[in-house]
Structure formats: C-alpha cells, structure tokens
Amino acid sequence: MICGHKPTADENDRLPESSVEPGDGGAATIDHPGKIRNRARILPDERRELDARMIERLQSMGLDPIRRNNRILVDVEVDPGMTFSGSSKREKWAFASVAAERAAENALAFDLFAQSADFADLRHFVLRPRGKKATVEGLLVAIQELSAAYNQHVGRLISDGKIRSLLSVIHVRYDDQLQMFDLHIHCLWLIATDDLDAVWRGIQTKFSTVWMDTKEIRQPQALANYVLSWIVDHREALDWPDEAVKALWSLPRPRFIRPAGAFAEFKATLEGQRLRREDGDIQIVPIQKRPPPAVSPLRKPPSATGTVVGYVQAKLLGELRWCAIAFVRPGERLTRQHRDEILAGSRRAQKATRSDDPVGNDDHATKPATTTGLSPFPAGSSSDPADPSLDEGQRPATTPTDTNPAPVVVIPPVFPTGAQGMLPPVRTMRAGLWQAMGHFLRVGVRGLSQALAWLTPRGRRRMRKSRDPDSGNCASGPAGIAAIPPT
C-alpha cells in the first residue's frame, strides 16, 4: 500500500482500527472482516467491573493477581473493629485501571507538550511486523522482534534526519480465528513533505503493513489519547482463551509506550512532578517526597500477629477514620480475638463505645455497636500509648454499603506528642530506661562529689552545715540547745 492509494473494500477490511478518525469515542472500528470493535470510552465504573472479573478469572487459573502485605488496618473510630487489608492489584497490563493510569499520565504530558509544539508535519503511521502473527507461547519473542525491527529500520531514518519521532505505542490484539496475537505499532512522527518518499522507501518492504493517515491531523492530542488508551482492549480480553490471558499476564514489564525525541525531552523535565486536569486546565503539582523515618537499632520488628505498630488516619469507604496498623505474620490471619485486644487497648474505640451507650446498658444483642458484629468494650484504665489523641472530634459511625472499598488514601502515621498524650510503646520503654539511667548517674555523681568534698577543710565545714543547720550559730554546746546571742 503506498501513500495516497485509495484502498479497495478487501484492503479496507485489513486496515487497523486507527483508520477510523481517532477521538470519536462512540465509533465502531473494523480490524478484520466480521469483527466490529467498540471504542466507546471505558468509564471508571466499567473499569472496576472489568478488573473484578479479570481478578476472578486469574484466580481461577491459579494465578495470584493481588499483592498482599503483612499490615492490616483496624478501624478504631468510625466502625470499630472493621478491618481493611493492605492488598492491591499487581501493576499488570491485564487490568483496565492500570492501563488507564499509564495512558492518562502520558496523555496529559502530551497535551501539555502540544501547547507549544509545532505539528505542521505530524504524521500517523501504523506498522505491522513481517511474517506470521504471534503464537500464544511466542508473544514475548514477537514483541522483542517487533521492537528490534523498529529500532533497526526506523532508527536509521531517524539518524538520517528523515523522521523526528515523538511517540510509538505497541497494541496487542488477539485473533479469534487464527488463535494468535496480532501486534502493530502506532507511530506519531514529524516528517517533512519532501522526505515522505524517502521514508516510504525505507520502511515499505521492512514491515508487512505500512499505513499512513493521509488526512490532516487536526487534533494531535485526541490522536495521542486514542493510541495510548487502547493498547489492550480490556473488553475483548475477557473473552480471550485462558492461554492468551496467561501469556499477557506473564509478560515481564513490557514497554508498550515509548516517548521519543522532543516529547521525551519534554517529559523528562516533568520528573518529580505530577500532572492533573482541573477545570479543563492541566495543573503541575510537585511530588512531595517524605524523608524515610529514622529506624533505631534498639527497635525490634514485630513478631506476633495482632501487634499494633502504629496508628494512621486513612480515608476508607468515603470516611476519614483513625486505624490501628496491625502486624500479621505470613500464613496467619487477624482473628476476632486480635481485633478485640486491639480495640480494648484503644482509648478512641472505648470513647466511641461510650458515646453509643452513655448509660452503660448491655443492649448489644439488639443493636450491635460495630458493623463487624463485635461486642462493645468497657472503658478500662489501660490504653495503648500509641493511640491517637482524643482531642479531635468524634465522627458518627456509619454502615458502609459498598462492598468494593475505594482506593485507600493514607495520611502519614502520626504518633502523638507529649502534649497530646503518651508516647508510643517503644518510645515509652525507651524513655523509662533513660530515666532509670539518669537517676543512677545523678546519685553516683552526687556521692562522688560528697566524698571528694571531705578531702578539704572547707568542704567538711560545708557538709557539717548542710547536715546541722544550727552548727553555724553554735560552734559548741549540747545538741538541741540554741546558743545565747551576745548582748
């Protein structure tokens, strides 16, 4: 296929989906005969549903799509006893939310880059590798071979100054009829009109399909957003056979998005900052990196399940709540007894219990105080020294209706200062040791100074005066008889 050639009906069926005007979210595109692809935008609710179904499917195949840690949050304020695991989805392209985050990051950067870039010579190319399509077992090798062919043939034209590359994105599709993967690269290049023929001669025989959009690209941002958003069609991925899903899941950190040239240089200037869209404008927000906490060599890591290692304020299920950070050993779980002990040692949980039942009546059988069915805990005298301060206002308990919690927004752990409450357990033990050592040193130094004072006459007189206040007024005489003042 050459530039400016009008494709026939059969050739049009073999064109990539990018041949349809990008940016039209509701358009249906054709990748091969009889296959209509839905390119309507995937909204957040649909992404969560797609991810949930993908997690179930991966687990049914014996894979572990969830990353777990040994910390569990236990609510001690809003819904005492409710637990929130620190698990999260693995950063894999099989999840629609992960792909959307990566696409949004690069699309926002391209939008900001487009505000000052000259796109008069912008061209949209699509390249397909030579040879057969990729088998399920050979997906990784096929991606590596396609990347090598691009670097060899396109890289030569870039070195000659014929192409100024901005962005290249690899798309992964699955052909149900052949049961093979279909790979192709979307390329955004700056090519002068006089160099088009040289570019075509350099790549036309190096790839099985070389397609260029002959129309003028009026919306470069929409084109970039399109090629970044459809690297994997997650709607169709649910219908892939298990072997194809497992092959995509097993890819070791594939690099599907490749900024280049002026766009890569511009994107490098944004390091340490993040972009967000607000009221139609792109805001640049510096990333505030917190310094790593100082770790004392005297502090030992927790070893028992249910040990509270700190407290944190997190936004969970739409509520900002204080939670205890409980340690859980691998292979064990946080039982109800562990939760009871955590809440029993939390002053904030006891305060929430007293506010629910100010009279102290035991009516928990009819009205449970927590959403987990735990019994309320009496207000005991013992409390966890690391428990957050009670000076903050108490929030009413609410029963969450969303079984799929929203993403955890965690505020850095806050340990109360001396004005707010007692120190955390480790600091309390350390403070007690220092106090005992200080007292021992003070007694020892005082005894040593007194012993040295006896070596001088002046020191002995001072010691006698300190022991007998009347010795200065009465140099001699029986004890207990005051000296007669001179007349």
Side-chain angles (χ1 to χ4, degrees):
M1 188 182 305
I2 61 176
C3 180
H5 170 66
K6 184 177 181 180
T8 62
D10 181 65
E11 291 174 341
N12 186 64
D13 289 338
R14 295 195 299 271
L15 289 178
E17 67 273 13
S18 59
S19 59
V20 178
E21 182 69 20
D24 187 2
T29 58
I30 299 178
D31 193 23
H32 54 79
K35 185 69 173 182
I36 299 180
R37 301 186 183 276
N38 180 14
R39 286 296 176 263
R41 180 186 176 189
I42 301 179
L43 299 178
D45 291 341
E46 185 180 0
R47 281 200 297 267
R48 284 192 290 268
E49 181 182 355
L50 292 173
D51 288 349
R53 294 173 60 184
M54 180 60 70
I55 289 175
E56 294 178 357
R57 184 168 185 188
L58 292 171
Q59 290 176 341
S60 66
M61 292 187 291
L63 301 175
D64 186 13
I66 302 298
R67 180 187 292 109
R68 297 176 175 83
N69 56 33
N70 56 0
R71 299 292 190 272
I72 291 182
L73 302 182
V74 181
D75 188 0
V76 297
E77 182 183 18
V78 180
D79 297 304
M82 176 175 285
T83 59
F84 300 91
S85 61
S87 59
S88 61
K89 296 188 294 293
R90 298 187 184 275
E91 299 293 326
K92 294 283 190 176
W93 283 100
F95 293 124
S97 58
V98 174
E101 291 176 1
R102 295 172 177 174
E105 176 186 356
N106 288 273
L108 285 174
F110 194 89
D111 288 358
L112 196 61
F113 169 73
Q115 295 178 5
S116 58
D118 183 10
F119 291 133
D121 295 331
L122 183 63
R123 315 287 179 178
H124 177 204
F125 276 77
V126 177
L127 310 177
R128 273 192 170 88
R130 299 182 63 180
K132 298 181 179 179
K133 294 184 178 181
T135 62
V136 173
E137 298 80 8
L139 176 61
L140 176 60
V141 176
I143 294 176
Q144 294 173 346
E145 292 177 350
L146 178 58
S147 300
Y150 180 91
N151 295 336
Q152 178 182 358
H153 306 300
V154 179
R156 184 184 301 112
L157 295 172
I158 294 176
S159 300
D160 295 341
K162 305 297 182 181
I163 295 177
R164 290 170 291 162
S165 178
L166 296 179
L167 180 66
S168 58
V169 182
I170 298 179
H171 282 200
V172 180
R173 299 290 181 266
Y174 185 78
D175 192 330
D176 296 329
Q177 297 179 355
L178 299 178
Q179 296 184 357
M180 303 177 75
F181 280 105
D182 179 16
L183 304 178
H184 56 274
I185 301 182
H186 289 262
C187 308
L188 274 63
W189 296 337
L190 295 175
I191 305 175
T193 304
D194 297 339
D195 295 331
L196 273 177
D197 291 339
V199 170
W200 276 97
R201 287 194 301 269
I203 62 176
Q204 189 173 12
T205 60
K206 309 303 181 183
F207 299 90
S208 66
T209 299
V210 179
W211 177 89
M212 187 191 79
D213 193 349
T214 58
K215 298 180 182 179
E216 179 184 0
I217 301 176
R218 296 188 177 91
Q219 296 179 334
Q221 298 93 323
L223 173 60
N225 181 71
Y226 173 83
V227 299
L228 290 167
S229 300
W230 295 102
I231 295 175
V232 177
D233 190 339
H234 293 88
R235 292 191 181 105
E236 293 184 358
L238 293 176
D239 298 329
W240 290 1
D242 291 347
E243 294 76 10
V245 174
K246 188 176 296 185
L248 177 64
W249 176 263
S250 302
L251 289 177
R253 301 180 64 85
R255 188 184 171 197
F256 291 144
I257 302 174
R258 306 183 182 192
F263 176 53
E265 296 175 358
F266 174 81
K267 197 167 182 286
T269 62
L270 301 176
E271 186 177 358
Q273 305 175 91
R274 63 184 180 89
L275 305 178
R276 67 181 182 185
R277 194 182 299 276
E278 185 174 348
D279 298 332
D281 298 330
I282 300 177
Q283 306 290 337
I284 302 178
V285 181
I287 299 177
Q288 299 179 354
K289 296 183 178 180
R290 304 182 183 91
V295 179
S296 172
L298 301 177
R299 184 171 183 177
K300 297 181 180 180
S303 58
T305 297
T307 303
V308 177
V309 297
Y311 283 80
V312 68
Q313 197 175 26
K315 188 174 183 181
L316 303 166
L317 298 178
E319 291 280 350
L320 192 62
R321 59 187 81 202
W322 278 101
C323 297
I325 306 176
F327 171 79
V328 179
R329 297 182 60 184
E332 298 183 2
R333 63 186 183 89
L334 200 68
T335 62
R336 175 170 296 186
Q337 181 180 357
H338 293 142
R339 297 197 298 267
D340 292 355
E341 294 174 354
I342 293 173
L343 294 181
S346 170
R347 291 175 295 153
R348 187 170 292 273
Q350 296 170 9
K351 181 179 178 181
T353 302
R354 290 195 296 270
S355 62
D356 290 340
D357 189 11
V359 182
N361 298 326
D362 189 8
D363 59 348
H364 312 303
T366 58
K367 188 186 71 171
T370 64
T371 57
T372 57
L374 298 178
S375 300
F377 299 93
S381 57
S382 63
S383 61
D384 195 330
D387 202 24
S389 172
L390 293 174
D391 297 334
E392 298 183 11
Q394 177 70 23
R395 299 175 178 84
T398 57
T399 302
T401 57
D402 187 5
T403 57
N404 187 12
V408 178
V409 180
V410 177
I411 300 175
V414 177
F415 294 104
T417 61
Q420 296 174 325
M422 300 177 64
L423 293 172
V426 175
R427 298 187 183 182
T428 302
M429 179 182 66
R430 194 178 305 161
L433 292 176
W434 280 110
Q435 291 176 1
M437 294 175 61
H439 178 71
F440 174 77
L441 292 176
R442 286 194 297 271
V443 173
V445 171
R446 187 181 299 114
L448 181 61
S449 62
Q450 292 176 359
L452 294 175
W454 277 101
L455 299 178
T456 60
R458 185 178 180 181
R460 287 193 291 272
R461 288 196 300 270
R462 186 178 301 171
M463 292 292 295
R464 291 192 188 97
K465 290 181 181 181
S466 62
R467 294 180 180 179
D468 187 5
D470 296 332
S471 61
N473 299 330
C474 180
S476 62
I481 301 177
I484 301 175
T487 59

